[in-house]
Each structure stands twice: as structure tokens, then as C-alpha cells.
Amino acid sequence: MANTRYESGVYVVEGRSGSDEGPTVVIVAGQHGIEPAGWLTAMQLTALSIDVGKLVIIPFANPPAIIQGVYQTSDGNMNRHFPPEEAPTLDAAAAVWREIQRNDPDVVLDLHSSHGIYQSGMDNGVGQAVFPTAAGLETVVGATEWVNDELIAPSTFGSEYELTIGTVQGNADQPLLTHKVGHDLDVPGYLVEVTRYGTTLPDRLTWQTAIAIKLLDEHGITVSV
């Protein structure tokens, strides 16, 4: 969306063997302006080196919300403008969706953070959960278990901070990006939510980056920083 307030960069990382080998993964972040772990993770991923495949990264999907430091702008919640089977209902959402379609992805990641912890009663949020599409159900298990075993369990955080697997994304009645990915594209997609409850930004950035890299690994993209 050049020359508009939603103008934003798209970063492409190609495998050393060329983008024709391996999967194409689209990574979206920054739909909400109070979730810096998402776009900081996305920017870290732009510096990765990969052997095969291609990463298409949109770190700042909602620049006005990020600049204002707000969850949503007067245009509403961007992540409620992706109705399955229909055109996105916000120009900026439509631009994100066009970029996704243009790259014909094998996998889509949507990076977020939440004020609470999913199904824990802590502030009624959805953090510390990964919500997969039906096509991503198998791969999400290994990725979340790895982050729990290697990073969260050995830390000072309690077991309630371990990542869980949320509801499957793909319901035609839900206008979230991952629901549209699951319903319209039927490819592995993941809504990743870390929590802001009792955590620091470095905590969230560590977990978000780790789960993203592990999901890439589960889909055959081995990375090195």
C-alpha cells in the first residue's frame, strides 16, 4: 500500500539452494500495535539464513496502530477483517491477503501476544498457545513440546506458562487471518500467542522466536542466524 499510512515493507529470505526447493512460508506480524514481540520476532527472522525454501515476512501489517501504540485504530481490529470465502473487509487486510495469495504459501504464521494465559483463568487471555489450522495439527505438537522442554520448563516460570495447543483455525464464521488461511487455502497455519502476563518483552521475544523457528524446522526449513 505504497503512499498510504499503511505502507509497509515485505522482506524475502531465500534458501541458499534457491526458492524453488523447499516450502514457501509467509509470516505476518504487527496487526495490533501493542504486541511488539510479534514484529520484533518477525524482524529477527529477516536475518535468518536458510538452506532451502523461501520466507516472505510482513513485520508491520498495521503501521498506524504500531505508531500510535494502540491495539486497534479507528479502522477497527485488523484481525477481524479476514472473512473466509469472502474478500477482506479492510483495504490493509486485503493488501496482506493479496501478498499471501501472490506467494502461494505452503505455511502461514501469524505472530501475536495476549494479556492473559489461555484456559488458565489468568486475565482471561489467549497467551501461551498456538492455534493451528487443521493441516497444521501434527506439526504443532512437536514444536510446542520442544519449546516447553527446552526453554520454559527449565526457567523460573511455572507450568501454567508452558505452551498449549488451542482450537483449530478454519471456521467459516470467524474472520481471523488464520481462519481464512485454514478455510480458504487449507494449508498449515499457526496463530502464535505469547503472554504479556507476568513476563518481560525479552521473555516473549525468546519464546516467540523459538516457536517460529521450530515450526519452520518442522516444515523442513533449517535455519541459522
Side-chain angles (χ1 to χ4, degrees):
M1 298 189 69
N3 303 314
T4 75
R5 67 192 188 116
Y6 281 102
E7 181 175 354
S8 183
V10 178
Y11 298 77
V12 177
V13 179
E14 292 190 347
R16 288 185 288 271
S17 300
S19 59
D20 291 337
E21 297 185 27
T24 294
V25 181
V26 175
I27 300 168
V28 179
Q31 290 202 61
H32 302 132
I34 60 170
E35 301 176 4
W39 67 75
L40 291 174
T41 293
M43 286 305 298
Q44 287 196 158
L45 298 179
T46 66
L48 294 179
S49 176
I50 61 178
D51 289 329
V52 297
K54 180 170 72 171
L55 309 180
V56 179
I57 304 170
I58 307 170
F60 310 109
N62 192 346
I66 293 170
I67 291 169
Q68 296 173 39
V70 296
Y71 181 75
Q72 64 186 52
T73 66
S74 57
D75 290 328
N77 183 342
M78 176 180 277
N79 204 23
R80 298 297 184 275
H81 286 278
F82 295 95
E85 300 181 341
E86 300 177 19
T89 52
L90 180 68
D91 286 347
V96 169
W97 188 248
R98 282 195 301 273
E99 189 67 22
I100 291 173
Q101 288 184 304
R102 188 175 72 83
N103 285 281
D104 189 23
D106 300 288
V107 183
V108 177
L109 275 64
D110 186 20
L111 308 181
H112 291 261
S113 68
S114 175
H115 53 82
I117 297 180
Y118 183 60
Q119 292 184 337
S120 71
M122 291 186 177
D123 217 11
N124 196 33
V126 294
Q128 300 308 91
V130 182
F131 299 81
T133 63
L137 269 173
E138 291 188 12
T139 46
V140 76
V141 174
T144 54
E145 287 181 349
W146 187 91
V147 174
N148 289 337
D149 292 344
E150 298 296 324
L151 295 178
I152 299 179
S155 74
T156 58
F157 289 94
S159 59
E160 64 272 16
Y161 281 85
E162 292 187 359
L163 292 172
T164 59
I165 298 172
T167 56
V168 175
Q169 306 287 282
N171 189 329
D173 296 328
Q174 296 292 324
L176 279 67
L177 175 59
T178 43
H179 280 288
K180 190 168 183 65
V181 167
H183 190 277
D184 292 12
L185 304 182
D186 193 25
V187 301
Y190 308 93
L191 169 58
V192 181
E193 293 270 10
V194 293
T195 187
R196 301 190 297 275
Y197 186 90
T199 65
T200 66
L201 180 56
D203 294 326
R204 301 190 292 276
L205 185 56
T206 296
W207 298 335
Q208 186 91 277
T209 304
I211 189 65
I213 289 176
K214 191 59 181 176
L215 284 168
L216 294 178
D217 183 67
E218 291 286 330
H219 287 283
I221 296 181
T222 302
V223 306
S224 57
V225 178

